[in-house]
Amino acid sequence: MYQIVPVAPGEQQMAGGAGASPLKKKLANEGRPLVLAGMLGCVLVLAAVVAWCYYSASLRKAELLKTELLDLDKDGFIIRNQAGAVIFTMTFRSGTLDLDSCSKDGSILSCTQSDSGKLNFFIQTVRPKDTVMCYRVRWEELQNERLVEHAMAYNDSHWYGGAETATQYWPIRIQGEEEPLPFITSDIYSNRNAFGGILERYWLSSNATAIKINDSVPFHLGWSEKDRTLRFQARYQDSPFRPPDGQQALPELSYRVCVGSDVTSIHKYMVRRYFPKPIKVPSTEVFKHPVWSTWALHKTSVTQEKLLRYASDITKHGFTCSHLELDDRYTADYGEFDFDPQKFPNASGMFDKLREDNFQVSLWTHPFINYDSINFGVAVEKGLFVREPSGELPALVRWWNGIGGILDFTNPEAREWYSSHLRMLKARYDVTSFKFDAGETSYLPQQFSTLVPLSDPSTFTRRYTEMAVPFSERAELRVGYQSQNISCFFRIIDRDSVWGYELGLKSIIPTVLTISILGYQFVLPDMIGGNAYPNRTTGGLDGKNGLPDRELYIRWLELSAFMPAMQFSIPPWAYDDEVVQIAQKFTGLHETLVAPRVLELAGEVLDTGDPIVRPLWWIANDDEAAYKIDSQFLIGDDLMVAPVLEPGKQERDIYLPAGRWRSYKGEHFDKGPIYLTDYPVDLDEVAFFTWVH
């Protein structure tokens, strides 16, 4: 066996063997540890150099993947506040980034590769003002046609926004596991698990963080109670979204995350930046005086005689009226635009009589023309309907009053045809305005085509809301998507005559707060007492012709008096004199106390978009208790309302944020924040408090 040993300069290196001298053998034995030590030293030095290089590269990579309080990893990113606490976490669920493909150029951090192929990913930092930091995030697939999904963690904060829902909570409660569904407008009265008729791709957290999903995204929303996440997904497969004409169906998820100093200021920034504003304040009369609808009282059996009697009773019992709303089934067939001569034998005379008695009338309308209407053939011939995918045949749709076609509001001819009929009604009978019903995408067929192709089905809702513009002074809509600039009243979806959170009395404050956060401020909180449907009414029908429970009706009335507008249908005199007196008291209070404040705030909405009805955290954003209260609200910053929303109660707990408050009884409270437990509130009272400056 050969052994190599170091030799002195000038010496000849020889192979060891039988002819080697004893001295050379000794030198060889003594040199072995030195060789090993030298080799070990070289290895250690090399390891240290490699480790240092790797550490330096890691530092450079870690530094590369940071930008203005944001840290990016292959699986997602986090955002910290100035104090270093994590306030926002987003996880990439559909793929991971190849960090070796990432680079940084100024304020843009970008990557070109994921574990599933090529992509265009970037996060761009934008500081629009000193107190706000925004991050534009985009994940665009260039090869994978499946989907993109990011999951936003709750991070122990409270979240608000998104959509009107049937069971409405404030803040949002994540319940169960839900695979991402198309985030499009739907009728939640008929489908209680869908997203509602008023929605926006916007959420806001108590951590002073807000997220706005871009309009171009084929957006689906899901959630996980187990993981405590909202799941944001972009996909075209098994989806009603379509890529723009000529573009490949490659999904893209893009959004903006903005962080501010507090929740109120970041919301103000987002609303001013991303939401359109109304261009005018609707009719002051509707803010001051109640709307009186025929729906809950008469349903589809309304007639000329019943309408005139209803108007007469309003006057006889001493109530004021902004306008009468003649609801469903005044025409012979759905899709016609004149009065049924059987039910309304002298419509012109009826309107003359109502005008003499100082009543204005608005009419119910909708986008459907049933197949048995004389206008169905006209609309088919003119090509006014939403069509089947082939584009050749009108698509039949089912709605709550039958089967027919739905007008294509992307078609200028359909818009003009519909508008001309409404103008005719207005001119012939001096109709004051219209209640625009439906408009949700859930009434479109699953597969459809429109004259102007719709990448996002909810654009149909937006087009329908535009039909209200010429009548917006007193017009009423129940849908909204990117429609904040339509200057009319937005009605929350029909309520059941029950106490709870599922379309009941307790759902009203959370729903009004939610759509206010979404930018819809001229709110009509539906009819006092609800719809009074026999199978959806509390109190065993109260023993009185199917009326809602008397106590429920009174508490509903009291809450409505502090909303931007009031709407009656079931009249107070259907109960007894005491209910009539309570109703007179609160319609008077609404006119003298609430309406002047609301109108002042309504004027400010045109510039700011700020809510008229506000959550308690609006003035107490460093107060954890204020983020969870869903049974009190503010009108502006200085009028706080705490209605009773529980059956059998003549007291309630009330939370007063820090400040000086004076109660409606004249009491003063200036040691805040405090709870008033079991605060007495009689059946004919609402507890409200005014900020004392």
Side-chain angles (χ1 to χ4, degrees):
M1 178 177 285
Y2 291 94
Q3 186 175 17
I4 299 173
V5 296
V7 293
E11 288 187 335
Q12 186 179 359
Q13 185 171 327
M14 297 179 62
S21 70
L23 178 60
K24 287 179 178 177
K25 286 182 180 179
K26 183 179 178 185
L27 287 171
N29 290 335
E30 287 178 350
R32 195 177 300 163
L34 293 174
V35 172
L36 292 173
M39 291 175 67
L40 182 61
C42 288
V43 169
L44 289 173
V45 169
L46 184 61
V49 170
V50 169
W52 174 253
C53 291
Y54 183 78
Y55 176 66
S56 298
S58 297
L59 279 179
R60 282 196 300 275
K61 179 62 75 175
E63 202 52 43
L64 169 74
L65 300 177
K66 287 178 182 289
T67 176
E68 295 281 8
L69 303 176
L70 181 146
D71 295 353
L72 176 67
D73 196 0
K74 65 183 179 65
D75 299 312
F77 63 90
I78 61 170
I79 299 172
R80 302 177 188 274
N81 61 16
Q82 295 289 349
V86 173
I87 56 169
F88 187 86
T89 304
M90 191 71 91
T91 303
F92 305 145
R93 283 180 56 104
S94 55
T96 58
L97 292 174
D98 176 357
L99 297 183
D100 290 332
S101 74
C102 300
S103 60
K104 190 175 180 183
D105 182 9
S107 65
I108 301 178
L109 202 165
S110 59
C111 309
T112 59
Q113 197 79 21
S114 73
D115 59 349
S116 61
K118 291 182 180 178
L119 83 159
N120 171 24
F121 173 84
F122 71 79
I123 297 177
Q124 181 180 13
T125 307
V126 183
R127 187 186 282 278
K129 50 193 292 191
D130 288 345
T131 56
V132 175
M133 178 66 74
C134 291
Y135 305 89
R136 292 179 58 221
V137 183
R138 181 185 180 98
W139 182 303
E140 181 184 14
E141 287 290 344
L142 301 178
Q143 289 177 300
N144 172 23
E145 294 190 1
R146 201 166 50 86
L147 58 86
V148 182
E149 183 177 320
H150 296 176
M152 182 183 76
Y154 257 41
N155 281 336
D156 296 323
S157 57
H158 306 290
W159 285 86
Y160 313 91
E164 182 183 19
T165 53
T167 304
Q168 197 95 46
Y169 295 112
W170 179 273
I172 295 168
R173 292 186 195 174
I174 293 184
Q175 295 180 314
E177 307 297 309
E178 185 64 65
E179 288 298 311
L181 299 167
F183 193 69
I184 55 179
T185 59
S186 296
D187 177 358
I188 50 171
Y189 196 83
S190 60
N191 181 1
R192 307 249 165 156
N193 296 317
F195 304 114
I198 298 175
L199 55 71
E200 299 292 336
R201 303 167 167 202
Y202 171 68
W203 287 267
L204 174 73
S205 104
S206 56
N207 272 346
T209 310
I211 182 167
K212 175 77 170 61
I213 310 294
N214 287 2
D215 297 343
S216 58
V217 174
F219 181 53
H220 297 65
L221 176 68
W223 53 85
S224 170
E225 183 177 9
K226 177 169 62 73
D227 298 336
R228 292 196 52 73
T229 57
L230 285 180
R231 297 169 60 186
F232 300 142
Q233 190 183 92
R235 76 168 193 264
Y236 290 111
Q237 292 184 349
D238 303 318
S239 165
F241 291 91
R242 297 285 173 265
D245 276 0
Q247 289 191 20
Q248 204 176 343
L250 290 167
E252 163 229 319
L253 182 59
S254 54
Y255 49 89
R256 287 169 169 79
V257 180
C258 291
V259 181
S261 55
D262 63 78
V263 63
T264 306
S265 64
I266 193 62
H267 177 67
K268 286 176 178 246
Y269 168 77
M270 297 297 283
V271 167
R272 285 158 177 71
R273 177 70 181 81
Y274 295 115
F275 291 163
K277 311 295 180 298
I279 57 174
K280 64 179 181 178
V281 176
S283 167
T284 58
E285 292 300 302
V286 181
F287 287 106
K288 290 178 183 176
H289 307 305
V291 176
W292 294 81
S293 167
T294 62
W295 174 247
L297 182 63
H298 294 303
K299 306 294 193 296
T300 58
S301 67
V302 67
T303 63
Q304 177 174 320
E305 183 187 356
K306 288 176 179 176
L307 182 64
L308 289 171
R309 190 187 317 129
Y310 191 38
S312 172
D313 285 344
I314 292 168
T315 304
K316 185 172 75 177
H317 289 92
F319 287 94
T320 52
C321 174
S322 63
H323 61 255
L324 274 172
E325 200 167 73
L326 177 53
D327 212 290
D328 196 342
R329 202 67 190 194
Y330 57 87
T331 59
D333 292 303
Y334 292 108
E336 294 171 17
F337 295 90
D338 209 345
F339 287 84
D340 178 349
Q342 301 296 317
K343 298 173 78 175
F344 295 86
N346 183 8
S348 295
M350 176 186 76
F351 276 93
D352 290 342
K353 170 71 171 128
L354 289 168
R355 264 193 306 278
E356 280 175 28
D357 296 336
N358 295 316
F359 284 98
Q360 299 196 55
V361 181
S362 68
L363 299 178
W364 176 76
T365 186
H366 55 82
F368 307 104
I369 300 178
N370 280 10
Y371 70 89
D372 54 358
S373 162
I374 56 172
N375 281 328
F376 186 82
V378 175
V380 170
E381 189 177 326
K382 291 177 176 288
L384 306 182
F385 285 135
V386 172
R387 300 179 302 281
E388 291 183 340
S390 67
E392 295 187 13
L393 295 172
L396 288 180
V397 299
R398 182 182 294 278
W399 63 299
W400 66 90
N401 278 329
I403 296 172
I406 184 167
L407 292 169
D408 177 4
F409 293 107
T410 74
N411 181 348
E413 278 191 52
R415 295 165 71 91
E416 175 53 30
W417 183 84
Y418 180 63
S419 286
S420 68
H421 282 288
L422 300 185
R423 291 196 302 269
M424 177 273 294
L425 279 167
K426 190 169 172 57
R428 181 178 295 174
Y429 300 108
D430 197 21
V431 169
T432 188
S433 193
F434 296 91
K435 171 184 177 176
F436 292 84
D437 215 346
E440 297 91 346
T441 61
S442 55
Y443 288 109
L444 294 169
Q446 279 198 318
Q447 302 290 327
F448 67 90
S449 65
T450 46
L451 184 69
V452 178
L454 299 179
S455 298
D456 177 355
S458 292
T459 305
F460 180 85
T461 294
R462 162 71 201 181
R463 295 290 165 263
Y464 181 56
T465 63
E466 291 166 356
M467 303 310 298
V469 169
F471 314 100
S472 60
E473 272 287 294
R474 295 170 184 261
E476 173 187 320
L477 284 160
R478 78 174 200 187
V479 292
Y481 176 66
Q482 301 174 2
S483 306
Q484 295 93 339
N485 61 329
I486 308 295
S487 302
C488 70
F489 290 90
F490 287 86
R491 175 176 64 88
I492 64 176
I493 196 69
D494 304 45
R495 304 285 118 172
D496 289 329
S497 301
V498 296
W499 289 91
Y501 284 103
E502 184 181 330
L503 296 178
L505 179 61
K506 280 189 180 177
S507 71
I508 292 176
I509 295 172
T511 304
V512 172
L513 288 173
T514 296
I515 67 171
S516 296
I517 286 295
L518 299 179
Y520 297 89
Q521 310 309 343
F522 307 139
V523 182
L524 197 58
D526 202 45
M527 293 167 286
I528 291 164
N531 269 304
Y533 291 134
N535 58 339
R536 290 176 174 165
T537 299
T538 288
L541 307 187
D542 205 43
K544 273 188 162 190
N545 305 318
L547 292 176
D549 175 73
R550 180 179 184 272
E551 182 189 8
L552 173 68
Y553 182 87
I554 291 170
R555 292 307 192 189
W556 205 305
L557 158 67
E558 292 165 351
L559 167 58
S560 292
F562 287 88
M563 288 286 152
M566 299 179 74
Q567 187 173 34
F568 282 101
S569 185
I570 297 163
W573 54 89
Y575 292 92
D576 53 50
D577 287 345
E578 185 188 14
V579 176
V580 171
Q581 289 167 9
I582 293 172
Q584 288 169 337
K585 169 183 172 180
F586 279 97
T587 53
L589 189 68
H590 177 84
E591 182 179 347
T592 56
L593 173 69
V594 179
R597 290 169 184 261
V598 167
L599 281 165
E600 183 182 345
L601 294 162
E604 295 173 10
V605 167
L606 309 186
D607 296 321
T608 67
D610 289 349
I612 292 172
V613 176
R614 300 173 181 176
L616 262 59
W617 53 251
W618 192 266
I619 60 167
N621 46 54
D622 57 352
D623 184 343
E624 175 64 19
Y627 286 109
K628 295 179 281 191
I629 289 175
D630 66 353
S631 63
Q632 299 173 222
F633 59 94
L634 295 161
I635 299 172
D637 287 347
D638 57 1
L639 177 60
M640 190 187 68
V641 188
V644 172
L645 306 173
E646 301 272 357
K649 298 284 188 183
Q650 297 208 17
E651 69 283 322
R652 63 156 292 166
D653 293 346
I654 295 172
Y655 185 73
L656 294 177
R660 300 177 64 205
W661 296 94
R662 183 177 68 244
S663 80
Y664 66 109
K665 299 175 181 178
E667 308 148 308
H668 284 264
F669 303 92
D670 56 8
K671 293 180 180 176
I674 56 171
Y675 275 105
L676 306 177
T677 57
D678 293 330
Y679 186 84
V681 187
D682 290 343
L683 184 61
D684 64 344
E685 291 183 321
V686 170
F688 63 92
F689 300 78
T690 308
W691 180 280
V692 182
H693 297 285

